[in-house]
Amino acid sequence: MITILGKQDASAYWELRLQALQLHPEAFGTSYEQAIQTENPIKQSEDRLTSDHSITFGAFVNEKLIGIITILFTTADKMKHKAELVGMYVEKEYRHQGIGKQLILKAIQTARRKGSIEQINLTVVSSNVSAVHLYKSIGFEVYGVEKSALKFNGKYFDEDLMVIFL
């Protein structure tokens, strides 16, 4: 089941986010070490889940949160036509079951309903072939590559810049 996460989901969201950062440090701009230093992580998660400028969706299996994605809405006047997908993650044992695709499609559907969103951007580590394939299968196109976008343990990771026009 895919649903919009709210304040009541803050703890489960935080735990899943930590898992993502710990297991896939090359895929996120925030490090696990940086995240666990957050003074009040549950409050911060509550704030993120109740923001007026983003919506976070969660995938649940047997009432357990196993997947997340956030769509950020730009507030600057000249960029209000754009949104960005961030923080995509599905637990390993639930991958390749269409859950990630369902999360992305729900975010796109929500952006379309908003009416003012004309395009959605995202970045994905270029070497994450399965994620790049998933985004392309939905209609996202690569419009550029940021070389050495992330650096982890002395290794650089390029990121594909992708867009879908609604």
Side-chain angles (χ1 to χ4, degrees):
M1 176 179 73
I2 307 295
T3 187
I4 294 174
L5 299 183
K7 192 174 184 177
Q8 72 280 0
D9 302 304
S11 183
Y13 170 81
W14 174 247
E15 291 302 318
L16 191 58
R17 178 149 171 76
L18 283 181
Q19 179 187 117
L21 297 176
Q22 194 168 32
L23 296 178
H24 301 281
E26 75 288 349
F28 300 94
T30 302
S31 70
Y32 174 81
E33 293 75 17
Q34 181 183 8
I36 61 173
Q37 292 177 13
T38 303
E39 188 173 316
N40 190 343
I42 302 304
K43 171 74 170 102
Q44 185 182 55
S45 294
E46 288 174 354
D47 291 346
R48 182 174 193 167
L49 297 178
T50 58
S51 169
D52 292 337
H53 306 296
S54 68
I55 299 172
T56 299
F57 299 92
F60 288 86
V61 172
N62 298 324
E63 299 183 21
K64 179 187 178 204
L65 182 64
I66 55 91
I68 51 177
I69 193 168
T70 299
I71 186 165
L72 303 173
F73 299 106
T74 308
T75 58
D77 286 344
K78 293 181 181 180
M79 295 189 290
K80 285 184 179 178
H81 66 290
K82 297 191 289 185
E84 183 177 9
L85 289 182
V86 298
M88 170 71 176
Y89 181 72
V90 175
E91 282 190 1
K92 185 176 183 174
E93 57 268 28
Y94 295 99
R95 293 181 193 157
H96 308 291
Q97 297 177 28
I99 295 169
K101 187 172 191 171
Q102 289 175 39
L103 283 164
I104 297 163
L105 290 174
K106 187 69 167 177
I108 291 170
Q109 177 186 52
T110 300
R112 279 194 172 113
R113 284 190 184 142
K114 193 170 171 68
S116 60
I117 304 300
E118 299 172 20
Q119 71 185 69
I120 301 173
N121 297 334
L122 63 83
T123 60
V124 58
V125 172
S126 303
S127 59
N128 188 342
V129 177
S130 61
V132 172
H133 176 74
L134 171 61
Y135 292 126
K136 284 182 176 180
S137 76
I138 292 170
F140 282 88
E141 299 175 0
V142 175
Y143 67 89
V145 176
E146 182 179 353
K147 298 288 185 186
S148 303
L150 299 173
K151 183 179 180 181
F152 178 71
N153 283 346
K155 184 177 178 190
Y156 292 95
F157 296 87
D158 297 345
E159 284 188 332
D160 288 355
L161 311 175
M162 302 185 81
V163 63
I164 189 170
F165 293 96
L166 304 181

